Amino acid sequence: MLPMPTMMTTEPGWPSNSLLGRLRDNTRQELLNIGTVVRYTADREVIEQDAKDTHVLLLLDGVVKVQTTDETGDTALLAIRVAGDLVGEMAALDQKPRSATVVTCGDVVAKLITSGELMTFLHRRNDVFVELIGMINDRLRWANQRRRDFLSHPAAERVARVLAELVQTYGREEAAGWTLGIPLTKVELASIAGMKPRTAEKAFSDLRKAGVVVSHLRRDVLVPDLENLRKFAGI
């Protein structure tokens, strides 16, 4: 059974499960003091798969999506990252080519931190290194859960499980229910659950028929009752 994810925030407003949200105030400010502020417009590739650069981006405002493309050209969405999160850390730590592409969902403000700046900071602040490992561990657990879902749940339930966690973590509650509020297509959402594009439409059709998800034309989804969605997903 998956735990109910939360969008708890720290005093400055950073989500508690983000890197900035994990740090103490003075340590957080030290991290915010390094790097260079950068601004990106919507639909901008800010990190490119297979590129050999090694900087990281510390997100200060906005949302990005992390995606990967296979040898056939098919693209799968891996994760969503929000303000307070760090992206690109794998290449900074192991100096190997990028494993995924990061694309902005709307305007984004971030700190661009070189791998040298990051490693110097981590050597000086071991407590941040510990929290960084914790963040990476949580992301690995998320990926492992998606693999387990693939083995034990049909397509519609897998999408429902992903949606329930994303909406609870990143969405907002409105009069008609919960909305994700991030411009993602049905294909992108279904790809997090490990399914091909041709399966996405049927999965969402099953969710609509069950009354747990209503699709919007604005690349968003409405969840009338989050608890019913969780029950449908078997959470």
Side-chain angles (χ1 to χ4, degrees), residues 114-128:
T114 68
S115 59
E117 289 175 317
L118 179 65
M119 296 308 294
T120 298
F121 181 76
L122 292 177
H123 280 300
R124 187 172 74 249
R125 296 305 305 254
N126 291 335
D127 54 332
V128 178

Side-chain angles (χ1 to χ4, degrees), residues 16-68:
S16 61
N17 57 351
S18 69
L19 180 60
L20 288 180
R22 295 169 182 262
L23 304 179
R24 295 191 296 270
D25 290 348
N26 61 329
T27 308
R28 182 188 304 115
Q29 191 56 53
E30 283 189 49
L31 179 56
L32 288 169
N33 285 341
I34 66 174
T36 304
V37 174
V38 290
R39 301 175 186 275
Y40 302 109
T41 55
D43 301 318
R44 171 86 177 272
E45 286 190 2
V46 295
I47 288 177
E48 184 179 354
Q49 182 176 324
D50 296 325
K52 295 182 180 180
D53 50 13
T54 57
H55 65 274
V56 300
L57 292 174
L58 181 62
L59 303 179
L60 304 180
D61 189 35
V63 180
V64 300
K65 54 186 178 183
V66 182
Q67 59 191 38
T68 186

Side-chain angles (χ1 to χ4, degrees), residues 57-116:
L57 292 174
L58 181 62
L59 303 179
L60 304 180
D61 189 35
V63 180
V64 300
K65 54 186 178 183
V66 182
Q67 59 191 38
T68 186
T69 303
D70 64 18
E71 295 81 359
T72 67
D74 288 337
T75 297
L77 181 63
L78 302 178
I80 299 297
R81 301 287 179 244
V82 299
D85 281 331
L86 189 72
V87 293
E89 72 283 348
M90 290 178 61
L93 293 174
D94 63 18
Q95 302 294 301
K96 294 180 180 179
R98 302 286 190 185
S99 60
T101 294
V102 177
V103 182
T104 59
C105 299
D107 294 338
V108 167
V109 181
K111 271 293 189 79
L112 189 154
I113 303 172
T114 68
S115 59

